Amino acid sequence: MADLAKLAGVSKITVSRALSNSPLVTRDTRESIQALAREQGYKLNVSARNLRLRRSHTVAVIVEMKPSTDRTMFDPYPLVLLGGISQELTAAGYSVLLTTRQGASAAAVQAADGMILLGQGVRQDAVRRFDKLGLPMVVWGAQADHDDHIVVGSDNRQGGKAVAEHFIAQGRRNPVFVGNPGHPEIFERLSGFVDALAEHGVKPLLIRRDEFTLASGDDAVQSLAARGVAFDALFACSDLLAMGAVRALEALGRKVPRDVSVVGYDDMPLAASFQPPLSSVRQDWQEGGSLLARKMLALIHDEPVGSEVLPVDLIVRAT
């Protein structure tokens, strides 16, 4: 930069301002210095600038999930969330560093300006683990009691309530919930489901399953059948669980929805093309990702920011 200043016959600060497109430098001077920089092969040392500013202009995004053949990283969760995050952050001049919990200890993650955590883990274990990095953090999930983190998530309690009311309207009296309420989001879905059913004197059966996969949904129904449990409705905490449950019911000779109504959660694209088309609670992943990024930027810039809950919709199809 000092060499460019000498060649251009200006001060070093003028060169700095011209290269950063500062309005404090006239347009002619700015264009002249930028052309000279190109001729001389000058490139800004981004690492040195960031070190000086004590900013990396990078946000780490940690996906708290275990990918499998059934539940992949290119499903709407987390892919659409990541799209919303990336669009907002790149527009603001930030890079996105994507990793899983296994890579969270990398030096690049620890040097980030902030962190977005997708998923809280069972009993918020992921939140507690990544808190130790000491970075500003925004979390996708559900707000827990006595939790001062910035959390963005869907109205899971309302989602559970909507499914319960749907089952009651269909005359169902023996519903089952499949999922692991150790996750804050799942707990909220179950709570809304239980509370709404209780208003009609109905109590659901909980079938705990840790994996949100087709195989796990199939196994849940097979377990119920083996125990001779009577049920006429099934609310699964994910679409893949619900699809696995439908397949198992068909294999057992039970018709959906004549014998058993089934509702999933997420409304992934496959839900509409599944046979029969799956009823599901829809979350707005795109807006969720954008909100996560905007709140992360606000934290980085010491602006006031709070948690936010997004509305959900029950999409009724053929199950």
Side-chain angles (χ1 to χ4, degrees):
M1 194 175 289
D3 292 338
L4 281 179
K6 187 176 181 180
L7 288 169
V10 297
S11 67
K12 187 176 172 182
I13 189 63
T14 299
V15 172
S16 176
R17 288 171 174 168
L19 295 178
S20 61
N21 290 310
S22 169
L24 297 175
V25 180
T26 65
R27 179 178 177 180
D28 289 345
T29 301
R30 189 166 63 241
E31 291 179 350
S32 174
I33 291 173
Q34 290 175 354
L36 183 62
R38 287 192 295 271
E39 291 171 10
Q40 298 297 319
Y42 175 86
K43 291 182 180 178
L44 178 65
N45 187 327
V46 176
S47 296
R49 180 199 64 184
N50 290 341
L51 182 63
R52 184 176 72 253
L53 298 175
R54 300 195 177 190
R55 288 273 175 86
S56 67
H57 282 82
T58 298
V59 171
V61 180
I62 300 176
V63 182
E64 172 63 20
M65 68 174 279
K66 182 181 178 183
S68 66
T69 53
D70 280 344
R71 190 172 183 237
T72 66
M73 292 282 280
F74 47 81
D75 284 333
Y77 176 87
L79 192 61
V80 179
L81 267 177
L82 291 171
I85 291 169
S86 299
Q87 185 166 318
E88 290 287 337
L89 290 179
T90 53
Y94 279 75
S95 298
V96 177
L97 176 60
L98 175 63
T99 187
T100 60
R101 56 183 167 185
Q102 290 83 358
S105 60
V109 172
Q110 298 183 38
D113 294 336
M115 175 173 57
I116 296 174
L117 176 60
L118 303 185
Q120 295 161 295
V122 177
R123 291 179 292 279
Q124 297 226 77
D125 63 332
V127 176
R128 288 192 296 273
R129 183 188 313 129
F130 297 123
D131 251 347
K132 296 174 183 177
L133 295 178
L135 295 172
M137 182 165 68
V138 180
V139 182
W140 172 265
Q143 190 84 41
D145 292 336
H146 312 298
D147 183 6
D148 57 0
H149 292 93
I150 304 302
V151 179
V152 175
S154 296
D155 193 340
N156 292 284
R157 185 174 287 269
Q158 175 58 34
K161 178 182 178 182
V163 176
E165 292 173 346
H166 172 66
F167 285 160
I168 292 297
Q170 291 187 316
R172 308 298 179 172
R173 304 295 295 179
N174 298 291
V176 171
F177 181 91
V178 182
N180 181 357
H183 294 272
E185 289 177 278
I186 310 305
F187 177 79
E188 288 294 305
R189 291 170 202 174
L190 176 60
S191 296
F193 189 58
V194 169
D195 291 349
L197 289 173
E199 294 178 6
H200 301 273
V202 176
K203 185 176 181 179
L205 175 67
L206 169 63
I207 302 297
R208 186 182 297 268
R209 286 295 181 273
D210 294 330
E211 300 294 330
F212 303 160
T213 62
L214 291 165
S216 188
D218 184 299
D219 179 73
V221 169
Q222 296 292 351
S223 173
L224 289 166
R227 291 155 49 193
V229 176
F231 64 101
D232 57 9
L234 186 147
F235 176 27
C237 70
S238 81
D239 284 344
L240 288 176
L241 273 171
M243 291 174 191
V246 171
R247 289 290 174 259
L249 287 165
E250 290 177 341
L252 292 167
R254 303 194 69 184
K255 298 295 184 182
V256 177
R258 187 191 69 190
D259 301 324
V260 181
S261 293
V262 178
V263 176
Y265 210 98
D266 293 339
D267 194 34
M268 59 192 300
L270 184 58
S273 58
F274 184 74
Q275 290 300 321
L278 181 69
S279 299
S280 183
V281 178
R282 177 178 293 168
Q283 303 194 72
D284 191 342
W285 299 114
Q286 179 72 31
E287 178 61 16
S290 296
L291 269 176
L292 286 165
R294 292 199 292 269
K295 291 180 185 295
M296 182 76 267
L297 291 169
L299 279 181
I300 290 172
H301 295 108
D302 296 320
E303 298 171 359
V305 62
S307 296
E308 193 160 340
V309 177
L310 294 167
V312 296
D313 294 300
L314 173 60
I315 308 301
V316 177
R317 297 191 178 98
T319 60

